[in-house]
Amino acid sequence: DRRAGLNDSHVQDYEATTFDDRNHFRILCRLKGSVWPEVLPYCLTNTASAAVLWYSFNKRGVHFDISQDANGYMASLLSFLVVSRVRMIYNQSMFSRDRLTNLCKSCEELVQTAALLTSHNDSRQAQKWRENIAYMTILLLKRTMTALRRHSELLKMERTDELKKEDSENYRKPVKMAYNLRKEVMKHKLGNTFKFEVGAMAMLTGCIDQYTAAFNELEGISRTSFPFPIVQMARTILFIWLTVLPLGLCQQDYPLWGICMITFLLTFGFLGLEYVSIEMSDPFGVDTTDFDLYSMAQITFEDIYVMIYSIDGKNAAEKLVNRVRNSATLEQLSYKVTPHTTTDW
């Protein structure tokens, strides 16, 4: 198992999140990670409605009295609401990505610092201490990624007291594990291995401080929804404006193909931005545009294995890998016995 202890029934498509922005044709025609499948039916429906209205106005003499000023005011307000929401969600998504990077880097720095500070001590006790630090760090990161992913899954379910309790427990476990990791760091019992023990402990616990700070910010982001009144206002004005858009365009001197093209592009633009904001609002799930949490964690795990390999040898690294895999096996058994619960490390 290449993932070395990570359980993920959904493997995200790497090609959906990568693209060559120099190839314009492929970008225009690609469907992976695109909003075309969701938006296209609305675009075609609105375009057909515009064609029918144009025919009624120009061929049947049916007239519609729609104020162009009101149409323009609605378009301006809608542009502000939709674009502002996309910008805020994008900034939040990039902030979350930065905090996920901090999680992974603080784990690497913790194991690396512990290995360097005790590199001159090759006793069995020092090796065991380094192994425990690496093992608990891996489990901490794995549990954090699992909590974020599970929270995203719970958002799509009907909220019950049981699921709320599970969600709270999932976020509480990384805090407990960070505390246990601090205790493991402090009870090293390595004698005079550290020349400046206070400074060494401060460096090690400082890495854990960085981790918990990033985790708390991610928990706050994942548990805070975008303000509902803004979403409701934008969605209401969006659908009303798209509905009356063909009525307003019919009064202009456009040919049939012109009004169809304008209606199609405007529907795609505004509705596409709305769908983009919907997909980006929860970046911890399994959508094509979401962060691949487990792949990020896997890279960190492999870096930790390399650190242990470089200081304690191949056997120590293999022992750590097997230990992590065994813990994942126990977790799978726990899920089969008690669904919707997580094991307490």
Side-chain angles (χ1 to χ4, degrees), residues 48-66:
S49 174
V52 172
L53 291 173
W54 181 92
Y55 179 81
S56 301
F57 186 86
N58 291 276
K59 302 298 182 181
R60 296 294 183 180
V62 180
H63 296 279
F64 309 98
D65 188 13
I66 300 295

Side-chain angles (χ1 to χ4, degrees), residues 109-256:
E109 290 177 3
L110 173 62
V111 178
Q112 187 179 56
T113 303
L116 289 176
L117 290 175
T118 60
S119 59
H120 58 282
N121 189 340
D122 57 356
S123 65
R124 182 72 186 95
Q125 186 177 9
Q127 292 181 8
K128 183 64 176 177
W129 182 74
R130 288 190 289 264
E131 177 190 328
N132 288 339
I133 294 297
Y135 174 71
M136 296 180 69
T137 301
I138 289 174
L139 291 189
L140 173 60
L141 182 58
K142 182 167 78 76
R143 177 57 61 195
T144 300
M145 297 304 189
T146 301
L148 292 171
R149 172 64 60 80
R150 181 60 179 162
H151 176 77
S152 179
E153 295 173 354
L154 294 177
L155 290 177
K156 299 177 176 64
M157 303 179 185
E158 183 178 353
R159 300 291 283 177
T160 63
D161 292 339
E162 180 182 355
L163 293 181
K164 291 179 181 179
K165 182 178 180 181
E166 177 194 348
D167 194 33
S168 298
E169 284 297 320
N170 288 340
Y171 277 116
R172 191 174 296 116
K173 289 182 185 299
V175 178
K176 296 179 180 178
M177 295 175 69
Y179 171 72
N180 292 333
L181 182 56
R182 290 179 191 272
K183 291 199 300 184
E184 183 64 28
V185 168
M186 299 302 294
K187 66 175 186 180
H188 55 85
K189 298 180 180 179
L190 297 180
N192 297 324
T193 298
F194 304 108
K195 294 182 179 180
F196 303 99
E197 183 173 349
V198 176
M201 292 298 104
M203 292 175 62
L204 294 172
T205 56
C207 295
I208 304 176
D209 292 340
Q210 294 176 12
Y211 187 97
T212 54
F215 170 73
N216 289 333
E217 289 177 323
L218 285 171
E219 180 184 1
I221 291 173
S222 64
R223 288 188 161 192
T224 304
S225 302
F226 197 87
F228 173 74
I230 298 179
V231 177
Q232 186 182 49
M233 286 178 58
R235 198 80 51 91
T236 302
I237 297 175
L238 174 63
F239 282 99
I240 293 177
W241 183 75
L242 288 178
T243 301
V244 301
L245 174 63
L247 296 176
L249 294 177
C250 285
Q251 301 182 35
Q252 304 298 317
D253 190 18
Y254 291 121
L256 178 60

Side-chain angles (χ1 to χ4, degrees), residues 70-86 230-245 266-267 269-271 273-274:
N71 199 20
Y73 294 149
M74 289 182 62
S76 300
L77 178 59
L78 180 61
S79 300
F80 171 76
L81 291 174
V82 173
V83 174
S84 297
R85 185 186 176 205
V86 172
I230 298 179
V231 177
Q232 186 182 49
M233 286 178 58
R235 198 80 51 91
T236 302
I237 297 175
L238 174 63
F239 282 99
I240 293 177
W241 183 75
L242 288 178
T243 301
V244 301
L245 174 63
L266 288 175
T267 304
F270 282 97
L271 204 58
L273 286 175
E274 183 66 17

Side-chain angles (χ1 to χ4, degrees), residues 67 77 95 108 123 128 150 177 229 258 275 304-305 326:
S67 172
L77 178 59
F95 182 82
E108 293 181 8
S123 65
K128 183 64 176 177
R150 181 60 179 162
M177 295 175 69
Y275 268 96
I304 292 176
Y305 297 146
N326 292 336

Side-chain angles (χ1 to χ4, degrees), residues 213-335:
F215 170 73
N216 289 333
E217 289 177 323
L218 285 171
E219 180 184 1
I221 291 173
S222 64
R223 288 188 161 192
T224 304
S225 302
F226 197 87
F228 173 74
I230 298 179
V231 177
Q232 186 182 49
M233 286 178 58
R235 198 80 51 91
T236 302
I237 297 175
L238 174 63
F239 282 99
I240 293 177
W241 183 75
L242 288 178
T243 301
V244 301
L245 174 63
L247 296 176
L249 294 177
C250 285
Q251 301 182 35
Q252 304 298 317
D253 190 18
Y254 291 121
L256 178 60
W257 67 268
I259 191 174
C260 289
M261 178 177 291
I262 293 175
T263 302
F264 186 93
L265 292 177
L266 288 175
T267 304
F268 173 74
F270 282 97
L271 204 58
L273 286 175
E274 183 66 17
Y275 268 96
V276 168
S277 64
I278 292 173
E279 288 204 8
M280 293 181 62
S281 61
D282 177 27
F284 307 113
V286 294
D287 295 333
T288 54
T289 57
D290 291 339
F291 303 136
D292 194 347
L293 301 179
Y294 288 168
S295 291
M296 295 174 61
Q298 176 64 25
I299 295 174
T300 303
F301 296 169
E302 292 173 354
D303 291 341
I304 292 176
Y305 297 146
V306 170
M307 294 176 199
I308 297 299
Y309 178 87
S310 63
I311 192 170
D312 290 329
K314 180 179 178 180
N315 292 334
E318 290 180 346
K319 182 180 178 182
L320 177 60
V321 172
N322 292 330
R323 190 176 175 187
V324 173
R325 285 175 175 168
N326 292 336
S327 70
T329 302
L330 293 175
E331 183 179 8
Q332 288 177 335
L333 293 175
S334 174
Y335 270 94

